[in-house]
Amino acid sequence: MKQNKLDTAAGKPAGIRKLIRKYSAYTLLVLDEWLLDKPDERMRSFLLEVMEHRYDTASTVFRTQYPVKDRHGRLGGNVTADAIMDRIVHNAITIDTGDYNMRRHQAKPAESL
């Protein structure tokens, strides 16, 4: 989710509550490029609420380039980060795809002139 959706929701009556309900209701929620940008406090609070609602009721896939050990710091390293990670790591399955980079592997070598 982009920050602007959260900003727009914040400007409406009960907007953030509605957005939390929306993202909590998906059977499967996929967060692609998760933590590419460090979330601000409002986003961390939003993530905590969504993860709390989804805990033990729905599946969430986190696609990220950061290992589990670095995620707490990217979430701010505070109590909110503790709570978010607590809801993510319990009952989680982690799949480490290693250092293999498909973009480099599939890139065609530059042709010489």
CSV table of all heavy atoms in Angstrom, one decimal, residues 106-112:
chain,number,residue,atom,x,y,z
A,106,GLN,N,19.3,-13.2,-16.4
A,106,GLN,CA,18.6,-13.1,-17.7
A,106,GLN,C,19.0,-12.0,-18.6
A,106,GLN,O,18.6,-11.9,-19.7
A,106,GLN,CB,17.1,-13.1,-17.5
A,106,GLN,CG,16.5,-14.3,-16.9
A,106,GLN,CD,15.1,-14.3,-16.6
A,106,GLN,OE1,14.5,-13.2,-16.6
A,106,GLN,NE2,14.4,-15.4,-16.4
A,107,ALA,N,19.8,-11.1,-18.0
A,107,ALA,CA,20.3,-9.9,-18.8
A,107,ALA,C,21.2,-10.3,-19.9
A,107,ALA,O,22.0,-11.2,-19.8
A,107,ALA,CB,21.0,-8.9,-17.9
A,108,LYS,N,20.9,-9.7,-21.1
A,108,LYS,CA,21.7,-10.1,-22.3
A,108,LYS,C,23.0,-9.2,-22.2
A,108,LYS,O,23.0,-8.1,-21.9
A,108,LYS,CB,21.0,-9.8,-23.5
A,108,LYS,CG,19.8,-10.7,-23.7
A,108,LYS,CD,19.0,-10.3,-24.9
A,108,LYS,CE,17.8,-11.2,-25.0
A,108,LYS,NZ,16.9,-10.9,-26.1
A,109,PRO,N,24.1,-9.8,-22.5
A,109,PRO,CA,25.4,-9.0,-22.6
A,109,PRO,C,25.3,-7.9,-23.6
A,109,PRO,O,24.7,-8.1,-24.7
A,109,PRO,CB,26.5,-10.1,-22.9
A,109,PRO,CG,25.8,-11.3,-23.3
A,109,PRO,CD,24.3,-11.2,-22.9
A,110,ALA,N,25.9,-6.8,-23.3
A,110,ALA,CA,25.9,-5.7,-24.2
A,110,ALA,C,26.7,-6.1,-25.5
A,110,ALA,O,27.7,-6.7,-25.4
A,110,ALA,CB,26.5,-4.5,-23.6
A,111,GLU,N,26.1,-5.8,-26.6
A,111,GLU,CA,26.7,-6.1,-27.9
A,111,GLU,C,27.8,-5.1,-28.2
A,111,GLU,O,27.7,-3.9,-27.9
A,111,GLU,CB,25.7,-6.1,-29.0
A,111,GLU,CG,24.7,-7.2,-28.9
A,111,GLU,CD,23.7,-7.1,-30.1
A,111,GLU,OE1,24.0,-6.6,-31.1
A,111,GLU,OE2,22.5,-7.6,-29.8
A,112,SER,N,29.0,-5.6,-28.6
A,112,SER,CA,30.0,-4.6,-29.0
A,112,SER,C,29.8,-4.0,-30.3
A,112,SER,O,29.2,-4.6,-31.2
A,112,SER,CB,31.4,-5.3,-28.9
A,112,SER,OG,31.3,-6.7,-29.1
